[in-house]
Amino acid sequence: MLFKLAVDCIILAYDPLDNHLKVLLIQRENEPAKGHWALPGGFVDQSEDFAATAARKLRQETGVTVSYLEQVRAYALTDPTAGQRLASVSYYALLDLAHYAPATDRSHLAQWVPLVHLPTLPFDHGLKVQDAWQRLQEAARNQPVPFHLLPPKFPLNQLQRFYEALYQVPLDNRNFRKWVKGLPYIEPLEEVETNVSHRPSRLYHFKAAVYATFRQAAQLTPY
Amino acid sequence: MLFKLAVDCIILAYDPLDNHLKVLLIQRENEPAKGHWALPGGFVDQSEDFAATAARKLRQETGVTVSYLEQVRAYALTDPTAGQRLASVSYYALLDLAHYAPATDRSHLAQWVPLVHLPTLPFDHGLKVQDAWQRLQEAARNQPVPFHLLPPKFPLNQLQRFYEALYQVPLDNRNFRKWVKGLPYIEPLEEVETNVSHRPSRLYHFKAAVYATFRQAAQLTPY
DNA sequence: TCAAAAGTGTTTAAAGTACACCCATGT
DNA sequence: ACATGGGTGTACTTTAAACACTTTTGA
């Protein structure tokens, strides 16, 4: 029994303008579901592994190069075209929105959609987005997820709003800032925001090297 | 580009005799790596999904019916046989060792191996076992994993030793028991162990219905 | 009576939670 | 001067961590 193997990409970004986590959808150019908004993706080519396929499709279909790509899981297609079977492996990709600069001739074929307002998608793409979101939530407990989605220099409130968007809970501002102060790998800079019509916020940045040693030392409670 | 799709099963059980988490390995009957100890598994058949394939292979190769089957992830085979490519999806299965009763004609072809003393395995099976173990550790933080691996009635110390085996850390006995007392879904029975040459331990059991409502109420800290 | 594992409380430290006002900037 | 979001501290509650002896059974 032979399979065609597809890769689906759940490209995620955080939009600081409306504080939403968003997924990039493209308008399908081919049947089935031609013209519908769906996840970018495609078939695995000769001598590529899955992650390479995902990265290639991202470039081709969205003009995007991502810093972070993780497998979510494999899916057996529920409705196989008779005779030949299809399976797919989905990956989520994390992106700083500021770095999103698609080829202009394609930009009208792509849109960012908030996860909380996800429309009905063809195939099982809706499920795949939900699975990816859940995996991202889990990953963020053990890995420095936020810093792939935020710009290199960010104010603390932006980090807080990201967490609120990721887990869909409100966080207490004072307690959140207290928590961050205890993290050696999030460092305040001398710099502040400019050109805002309110008190400018101080910028922080993530120190990957410090994080690495810190994580190693941390022992999670087992139960 | 077409793929042959295989499923690998990481069958896990907890052995109360030596307090080890163990994986079931079988002796391969076919090339490649014929005669070597490896994970059970096989190719996905017509009109099966992955989980069904995993369950079927478990029955065929080990005579085991499992209560719990979760996908770990998909792997692109690192060394594809020229021309045709191979991918695999691995599943972990949880089993109460007391229920392990393989067909006798096959039993010499299978052995339980402690995760902490895993030998070098052919293909990338060693990696797959490690990945499955890690996923099990993560799953156990949000799901009632232990109760698939323990008998229906179990003493508390057995539960503690299971956690110690799963996370490879020693736990404080008094603090652990205090923690369990606070869980409404682990209920003491009137029954105790018999025929042990020391103070018999009280037996407990897991109440799935209580767990369901309890989990729903629980809000994990987001960061 | 001995060996072997089961069972039991208290004290201290750390982490989490609730809560309301002043600050710095642009307009 | 005002509108806007940034920034700050304290008291209380809950959870985690350290730690040693007594109990019950079979041999």
Side-chain angles (χ1 to χ4, degrees):
Chain A
M1 188 79 209
L2 294 178
F3 285 76
K4 283 192 90 167
L5 247 183
V7 166
D8 294 297
C9 302
I10 297 96
I11 310 172
L12 300 171
Y14 169 72
D15 189 339
L17 297 179
D18 57 9
N19 304 323
H20 277 128
L21 263 185
K22 297 183 175 178
V23 59
L24 188 63
L25 299 181
I26 62 159
Q27 202 162 16
R28 287 181 60 86
E29 292 177 317
N30 306 309
E31 292 297 348
K34 180 171 176 175
H36 288 75
W37 293 98
L39 294 173
F43 291 105
V44 178
D45 251 16
Q46 196 107 17
S47 74
E48 270 181 331
D49 71 9
F50 306 145
T53 305
R56 174 174 59 85
K57 277 291 157 189
L58 286 180
R59 259 180 284 115
Q60 287 178 358
E61 301 196 1
T62 67
V64 152
T65 308
V66 297
S67 65
Y68 193 85
L69 203 56
E70 278 295 335
Q71 188 183 123
V72 180
R73 58 170 290 157
Y75 300 83
L77 230 66
T78 45
D79 178 46
T81 354
Q84 173 157 277
R85 296 202 57 205
L86 232 62
S88 80
V89 180
S90 71
Y91 278 77
Y92 69 80
L94 304 182
L95 188 66
D96 175 0
L97 245 199
H99 289 162
Y100 174 64
T104 44
D105 59 324
R106 285 188 166 278
S107 57
H108 65 290
L109 296 174
Q111 66 170 330
W112 290 100
V113 177
L115 288 181
V116 290
H117 299 129
L118 200 68
T120 304
L121 297 180
F123 317 115
D124 46 1
H125 286 188
L127 172 67
K128 286 171 178 169
V129 172
Q130 294 301 332
D131 284 353
W133 189 2
Q134 194 181 326
R135 285 295 287 279
L136 186 67
Q137 291 181 336
E138 288 161 16
R141 297 184 192 280
N142 312 306
Q143 281 151 251
V145 163
F147 315 106
H148 294 285
L149 289 154
L150 296 176
K153 300 174 180 181
F154 53 88
L156 282 197
N157 287 340
Q158 196 168 320
L159 182 61
Q160 178 183 336
R161 286 184 209 110
F162 163 75
Y163 274 107
E164 293 175 327
L166 178 60
Y167 293 108
Q168 295 288 294
V169 289
L171 298 176
D172 180 277
N173 181 256
R174 282 183 283 189
N175 292 338
F176 180 80
R177 301 175 81 93
K178 200 193 308 173
W179 172 70
V180 173
K181 270 201 197 105
L183 302 178
Y185 53 85
I186 299 183
E187 207 182 45
L189 301 169
E190 289 312 311
E191 239 167 307
V192 294
E193 274 186 324
T194 51
N195 262 28
V196 288
S197 78
H198 55 76
R199 177 171 175 178
S201 48
R202 173 179 293 264
L203 299 178
Y204 288 72
H205 80 303
F206 170 67
K207 306 195 70 170
V210 179
Y211 182 86
T213 56
F214 182 82
R215 271 262 44 111
Q216 236 170 352
Q219 272 271 43
L220 290 182
T221 316
Y223 49 85
Chain B
M1 189 80 210
L2 294 177
F3 284 77
K4 283 193 91 166
L5 247 183
V7 166
D8 293 297
C9 302
I10 297 97
I11 310 173
L12 300 171
Y14 169 72
D15 189 338
L17 297 179
D18 58 9
N19 305 323
H20 276 129
L21 262 184
K22 296 185 175 177
V23 58
L24 188 64
L25 299 180
I26 63 160
Q27 203 161 17
R28 288 181 59 88
E29 292 177 318
N30 306 308
E31 292 296 347
K34 180 170 175 177
H36 288 74
W37 294 96
L39 294 174
F43 291 105
V44 179
D45 251 18
Q46 195 108 17
S47 74
E48 271 181 330
D49 70 8
F50 305 146
T53 304
R56 174 174 60 84
K57 277 290 158 190
L58 287 180
R59 257 180 287 116
Q60 288 178 0
E61 301 197 3
T62 66
V64 152
T65 308
V66 296
S67 64
Y68 193 85
L69 202 57
E70 279 295 336
Q71 189 184 120
V72 181
R73 58 171 289 156
Y75 300 83
L77 230 67
T78 45
D79 177 47
T81 355
Q84 173 157 277
R85 296 202 58 205
L86 233 62
S88 81
V89 179
S90 71
Y91 279 78
Y92 68 82
L94 305 183
L95 187 67
D96 175 1
L97 244 199
H99 290 161
Y100 174 63
T104 45
D105 60 323
R106 284 188 167 278
S107 56
H108 65 291
L109 296 174
Q111 65 170 332
W112 291 101
V113 177
L115 289 181
V116 290
H117 300 129
L118 200 69
T120 304
L121 298 180
F123 317 116
D124 46 1
H125 286 189
L127 172 66
K128 286 172 178 169
V129 172
Q130 295 300 333
D131 284 353
W133 189 3
Q134 195 180 325
R135 286 295 286 280
L136 186 67
Q137 290 180 337
E138 288 162 16
R141 296 185 193 280
N142 313 307
Q143 282 150 250
V145 162
F147 314 106
H148 294 284
L149 289 155
L150 296 176
K153 300 173 179 182
F154 53 87
L156 282 196
N157 286 341
Q158 197 168 321
L159 182 61
Q160 177 183 337
R161 286 184 209 109
F162 164 75
Y163 274 107
E164 293 175 328
L166 177 60
Y167 293 109
Q168 295 287 294
V169 290
L171 298 177
D172 180 277
N173 181 255
R174 283 182 282 189
N175 291 337
F176 180 79
R177 301 174 82 94
K178 202 190 310 171
W179 173 68
V180 173
K181 271 201 196 106
L183 302 178
Y185 53 84
I186 298 183
E187 208 183 42
L189 302 168
E190 289 313 311
E191 239 167 308
V192 294
E193 273 185 325
T194 51
N195 264 25
V196 288
S197 76
H198 54 76
R199 178 171 176 178
S201 49
R202 174 178 290 266
L203 299 179
Y204 288 71
H205 81 302
F206 170 66
K207 305 195 72 170
V210 179
Y211 181 86
T213 57
F214 182 82
R215 270 259 50 104
Q216 236 170 354
Q219 272 271 41
L220 290 181
T221 315
Y223 49 84

